[in-house]
Amino acid sequence: MKTAKLALAAIALTTTAALPTMAAAQEASASVTAGATVYGNDGAEIGTLERIEGETAILVVDGMKAPVPANAFGTGEKGATLNATKAQIVGMLQAAKQKAIAARDAALVVGAEAMTAQHAPLGTVLEINGNNVIIARGGDETNKITLLREHFAADADGMLMALLTNAQIDAAMAASAPAAESAGE
């Protein structure tokens, strides 16, 4: 979900740029490589390209990741460029993050049904204590787990979704079980 919202913000960056010619697009895509530093239209560094996934480049700016269409990049004297400044991109990423947090908090209520990251049923929210969210797995109140608020997001339809799979949750519970047992002794 975060990726989808950030992709929309990244696409907005390209709407102000003039449409590149085919030659310019080919030249720009050659400069879009993992590890490349990206510069803004003011010549200042924006961030680094973490990886390329098909036609999408993952740009890291101040620790935040933004999917940007690979054809949105140009080539300047220093290397890969975007038609925006770092401040504009950071502003869009922060706004997208705040919107995602607000959507998550609206979906994260007692009684909400939660899905896993793979859209499998997780359970029902029984209780929210600060950042701790207690879930009855499969609706079974004797099978409770506690996840952190940050482990949740709202999907595109506003449905509560854990950012973990059932397998990841099971593995974490198994890893913490010996520690919990020895602490109780």
Side-chain angles (χ1 to χ4, degrees):
M1 187 219 38
K2 288 182 182 177
T3 300
K5 289 189 182 211
L6 295 178
L8 293 175
I11 290 169
L13 291 175
T14 65
T15 60
T16 60
L19 293 176
T21 64
M22 185 59 82
Q26 289 173 342
E27 179 185 325
S29 64
S31 68
V32 180
T33 59
T37 300
V38 177
Y39 298 89
N41 56 13
D42 59 357
E45 184 179 321
I46 292 176
T48 304
L49 292 172
E50 179 179 86
R51 66 187 181 277
I52 311 301
E53 296 175 348
E55 297 299 315
T56 303
I58 305 301
L59 177 64
V60 179
V61 183
D62 291 348
M64 297 178 284
K65 295 181 182 183
V68 180
N71 65 2
F73 294 89
T75 303
E77 292 176 12
K78 297 178 183 179
T81 62
L82 281 174
N83 189 22
T85 65
K86 181 176 182 176
Q88 289 171 320
I89 293 173
V90 167
M92 286 190 295
L93 290 171
Q94 289 173 339
K97 181 179 178 181
Q98 291 306 313
K99 187 175 179 182
I101 289 171
R104 179 215 47 212
D105 289 347
L108 186 56
V109 295
V110 172
E113 292 297 320
M115 303 297 281
T116 69
Q118 295 178 326
H119 298 288
L122 175 62
T124 306
V125 177
L126 290 179
E127 196 176 328
I128 302 169
N129 292 322
N131 285 326
N132 294 320
V133 179
I134 301 169
I135 301 281
R137 278 187 102 175
D140 179 1
E141 291 193 25
T142 63
N143 187 11
K144 297 178 189 177
I145 59 169
T146 301
L147 299 175
L148 297 176
R149 180 179 295 272
E150 67 193 43
H151 293 146
F152 291 93
D155 70 8
D157 297 323
M159 175 79 177
L160 184 62
M161 179 178 72
L163 300 174
L164 304 164
T165 65
N166 274 319
Q168 290 170 319
I169 294 168
D170 291 340
M173 290 177 63
S176 68
E181 290 171 7
S182 64
E185 291 178 7

